[in-house]
Amino acid sequence: MAADPKGVEVVTFGCRLNTYESEVMKREAEAAGLGALENGAIIFNTCAVTGEAVRQAKQSIRKARRENPNARIIVTGCAAQTKPDDFVAMNEVDLVLGNEEKLKAHNYRALPDFGVNAFEKARVNDIFSVRETASHMVDAIEGRARAFVQVQNGCDHRCTFCIIPYGRGNSRSVPMGGVVEQVRRLAGNGYAEVVLSGVDMTSYGPDLPGAPRLGKLVKTILKQVPELKRLRLSSIDSIEADDDLLDAIATEARLMPHLHLSLQSGDDMILKRMKRRHLRDQSIRFCQDVRKLRPGIVFGADIIAGFPTETDAMFENSIKIVEECGLTHLHVFPFSPREGTPAARMPQVRREVVKQRAARLRAAGETAYEKHLASLAGTSQSILVEREGLGRTEGFTLAAIHTGQPGEIVEAVITGHEGGRLLATPIAARAA
């Protein structure tokens, strides 16, 4: 960060939903006049999923203040929603906004003295009082080759490890018409790929008229926005996958063959203690069934290492499910107790054991990923260029490709892999 930047800068932590909302925040803050402040403003859109995410946010805030002594610093996002007093207590912070407040221009009031006194430093309301989620229109996602569209927010489930419902509130869905219009707008602005995002996306729809499910939304988007080349789903809960969604996976080539599953564990007892709604056999069967519908589909998953009471034998079930589900893209989280959650009060696994188990899970994920990379040698792939020299296949696998502009889809042949990425040669170049 340059000292005292002009305009509004947004620093984003966490999920794809935060990425989308940061674009909305930047627009709303500028509309409120923050961009006209003499020394600029920096907004931190935080994440609360782990204690480490909160620590990193605080560290970045302190660094920003050192490097930008006269800029206005605003903190928002899930960490600010769940623990506003922690950020109010930071001398580096000028204003704390909740997750609902961050999306409305009037909460960024930019008067000559910034319009904030000690009593106004926090504007954080009860997130559970929010009853609906609006469709916030954006024309682009800055610095991104693909665009994200929010379809759902909040969560009605109370997994024992998770603080996010207290940051996001109860589940609420964006009406289908608003989602379709947003996707059409982004496709019209040149985005070849749009990613649907939400906190608990497969819970989409029961709060809307007619109670549509996620599968109907996906089919409606693909039908009504024929110019969209690629539609991708962010994390889903496989136990909630509806028949229309499974049919779309099987029949819609523009729906990308990549699903990231919220598994969290491979052991039934741990899953019960987490208050998850699936068992290990259901996860394995889901992956097997979907592979029959869409051969070659790629699965990723979130898995927590060292959940309270997890024994060595229980952990081994999480190791085994990597192969049993055929997982490729693994996101490993060392268990992090979040104050206010039931899991924080359970008997904890020693930290050094948690770290060791996380390292083993990551190693298992790396082995699976290397196997996946090797399996693609000689295949043809459609690669969306993300930045110069790098892109992703339809299965979300990283590929080195030295042609095309960001956002362009390039047809290529995979000649091998190196350094955790595929080596891709454009088909036209290969023919020449």
Side-chain angles (χ1 to χ4, degrees), residues 26-176:
K26 184 177 176 67
R27 181 189 67 203
E28 296 298 296
E30 288 174 343
L34 267 175
L37 288 175
E38 181 181 357
N39 298 303
I42 306 171
I43 306 173
F44 287 85
N45 195 10
T46 63
C47 172
V49 71
T50 65
E52 177 62 15
V54 178
R55 188 194 68 79
Q56 289 179 2
K58 290 180 178 179
Q59 185 180 54
S60 295
I61 291 164
R62 294 186 182 102
K63 181 181 179 183
R65 174 57 75 211
R66 289 194 302 270
E67 296 179 353
N68 307 272
N70 300 309
R72 299 299 183 179
I73 291 182
I74 301 169
V75 181
T76 184
C78 288
Q81 179 70 47
T82 56
K83 290 285 187 179
D85 291 346
D86 286 7
F87 295 99
V88 168
M90 294 179 68
N91 293 329
E92 296 87 352
V93 176
D94 294 300
L95 177 66
V96 179
L97 295 179
N99 263 335
E100 181 68 7
E101 289 75 21
K102 72 183 183 182
L103 301 174
K104 297 174 181 176
H106 68 267
N107 289 310
Y108 293 98
R109 289 186 320 183
L111 302 178
D113 63 351
F114 200 57
V116 178
N117 59 40
F119 300 102
E120 291 183 291
K121 190 171 180 179
R123 299 173 187 164
V124 181
N125 292 327
D126 178 12
I127 195 69
F128 290 106
S129 68
V130 180
R131 293 289 178 258
E132 61 184 32
T133 290
S135 177
H136 299 283
M137 294 292 177
V138 298
D139 294 313
I141 307 293
E142 187 175 348
R144 299 275 177 164
R146 61 177 57 81
F148 303 100
V149 170
Q150 179 187 27
V151 305
Q152 181 272 343
N153 204 341
C155 185
D156 290 338
H157 310 299
R158 296 296 180 265
C159 296
T160 59
F161 56 85
C162 188
I163 196 70
I164 297 305
Y166 303 96
R168 290 286 183 174
N170 291 320
S171 181
R172 49 208 190 276
S173 310
V174 178
M176 281 205 300

Side-chain angles (χ1 to χ4, degrees), residues 20 138 140-141 144-149 186 191-196:
Y20 171 79
V138 298
I141 307 293
R144 299 275 177 164
R146 61 177 57 81
F148 303 100
V149 170
L186 289 164
Y191 281 95
E193 180 174 307
V194 167
V195 184
L196 302 185

Side-chain angles (χ1 to χ4, degrees), residues 259-314:
L259 294 176
H260 192 83
L261 309 177
S262 180
L263 295 188
Q264 309 306 344
S265 176
D267 182 81
D268 284 346
M269 181 56 72
I270 292 298
L271 288 167
K272 289 177 181 177
R273 288 171 180 166
M274 288 177 166
K275 287 191 70 174
R276 300 294 294 163
R277 288 159 296 137
H278 67 270
L279 298 174
R280 64 175 285 113
D281 284 348
Q282 290 173 307
S283 297
I284 295 167
R285 188 163 60 252
F286 176 82
C287 292
Q288 291 172 340
D289 291 345
V290 171
R291 276 200 178 87
K292 291 175 184 175
L293 296 174
R294 188 81 173 262
I297 193 167
V298 177
F299 291 103
D302 295 332
I303 300 184
I304 295 173
F307 185 82
T309 76
E310 183 184 69
T311 64
D312 289 342
M314 292 171 178

Side-chain angles (χ1 to χ4, degrees), residues 217-285:
L217 174 64
V218 166
K219 286 186 171 182
T220 301
I221 291 169
L222 291 170
K223 180 179 179 180
Q224 296 194 16
V225 193
E227 63 271 31
L228 178 68
K229 295 178 181 177
R230 291 165 51 147
L231 182 66
R232 191 179 296 280
L233 304 179
S234 60
S235 181
I236 70 164
D237 202 337
S238 61
I239 201 70
E240 291 183 314
D242 63 277
D243 290 342
D244 270 340
L245 180 59
L246 295 175
D247 183 60
I249 291 168
T251 62
E252 296 282 2
R254 289 185 295 146
L255 179 60
M256 293 296 93
H258 165 246
L259 294 176
H260 192 83
L261 309 177
S262 180
L263 295 188
Q264 309 306 344
S265 176
D267 182 81
D268 284 346
M269 181 56 72
I270 292 298
L271 288 167
K272 289 177 181 177
R273 288 171 180 166
M274 288 177 166
K275 287 191 70 174
R276 300 294 294 163
R277 288 159 296 137
H278 67 270
L279 298 174
R280 64 175 285 113
D281 284 348
Q282 290 173 307
S283 297
I284 295 167
R285 188 163 60 252

Side-chain angles (χ1 to χ4, degrees), residues 309-377:
T309 76
E310 183 184 69
T311 64
D312 289 342
M314 292 171 178
F315 173 69
E316 290 301 324
N317 284 330
S318 286
I319 288 286
K320 288 188 286 189
I321 207 167
V322 175
E323 183 173 349
E324 290 169 331
C325 281
L327 304 178
T328 295
H329 304 290
L330 209 61
H331 289 180
V332 176
F333 297 87
F335 176 75
S336 173
R338 309 300 290 125
E339 184 181 346
T341 63
R345 300 189 296 272
M346 296 179 183
Q348 302 293 304
V349 177
R350 287 183 293 117
R351 292 313 301 169
E352 62 267 28
V353 175
V354 173
K355 291 178 181 178
Q356 289 165 5
R357 289 177 181 172
R360 279 195 61 200
L361 263 176
R362 290 191 183 103
E366 289 168 6
T367 298
Y369 189 64
E370 286 289 316
K371 182 179 177 182
H372 169 69
L373 292 175
S375 73
L376 295 178

